[in-house]
């Protein structure tokens, strides 16, 4: 169903990873008057990954866990961001984690900036594979590693 929603033109599909992103995504949905929004929430219990609301979701994607010595970047949306933190622990903490609550806003943001990605392996994970989301990563960063 998620891939179907992402295929609808001009629809903002907002998939927050925790309570803080829910608040930010709700604000985006309420303030966006020129196109519809869909707020996709999970029924799973998810960890709180951020403690302050600093409007990072408005870019569509942002670094939620920084590591200057990162060997790869894990990219996730929604409840899979918590899973990315678990993968980070398994890999010894040598990753940077990017949360992408809204691919549509992220794609617009990438049009003029790619400041937070490292060269090397870029991985993308999501419970429901989205062709559009994957193609953004492939086109912009070359290497693609699907963890699903």
């Amino acid at each position: 169903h998620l891939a179907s929603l992402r295929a609808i033109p001009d629809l903002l599909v907002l998939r927050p990873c925790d309570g803080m992103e829910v608040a930010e995504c709700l604000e985006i949905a309420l303030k966006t008057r020129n196109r519809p929004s869909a707020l996709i929430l999970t029924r799973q219990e998810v960890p709180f990954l951020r403690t302050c609301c600093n409007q990072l979701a408005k870019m569509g994607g942002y670094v939620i866990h920084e590591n200057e010595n990162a060997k790869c970047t894990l990219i996730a949306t929604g409840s899979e961001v918590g899973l990315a933190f678990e993968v980070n622990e398994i890999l010894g903490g040598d990753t940077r984690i990017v949360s992408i609550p809204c691919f549509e806003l992220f794609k617009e943001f990438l049009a003029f900036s790619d400041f937070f990605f490292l060269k090397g392996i870029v991985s993308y994970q999501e419970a429901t594979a989205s062709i559009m989301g994957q193609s953004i990563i492939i086109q912009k960063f070359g290497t693609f590693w699907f963890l699903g």
Side-chain angles (χ1 to χ4, degrees), residues 5-94:
L5 288 172
R6 289 205 171 115
I8 299 172
D10 291 328
L11 177 66
L12 286 183
V13 178
L14 302 158
R15 191 163 182 250
C17 71
D18 67 1
M20 200 58 63
E21 270 193 13
V22 168
E24 291 179 5
C25 288
L26 182 58
E27 183 176 357
I28 290 167
L30 293 173
K31 288 185 175 181
T32 302
R33 303 211 181 264
N34 60 341
R35 58 201 214 188
S37 302
L39 188 60
I40 311 303
L41 303 175
T42 183
R43 291 181 288 182
Q44 297 171 298
E45 185 174 325
V46 294
F48 283 94
L49 303 171
R50 290 181 29 213
T51 56
C52 65
C53 186
N54 42 12
Q55 301 303 316
L56 296 173
K58 68 182 175 183
M59 295 182 292
Y62 63 93
V63 176
I64 191 167
H65 173 73
E66 180 62 83
N67 181 342
E68 291 181 14
N69 300 317
K71 295 178 181 158
C72 70
T73 300
L74 298 175
I75 302 170
T77 67
S79 58
E80 281 76 33
V81 176
L83 179 61
F85 275 87
E86 292 177 26
V87 170
N88 178 54
E89 291 300 316
I90 292 169
L91 296 175
D94 291 335

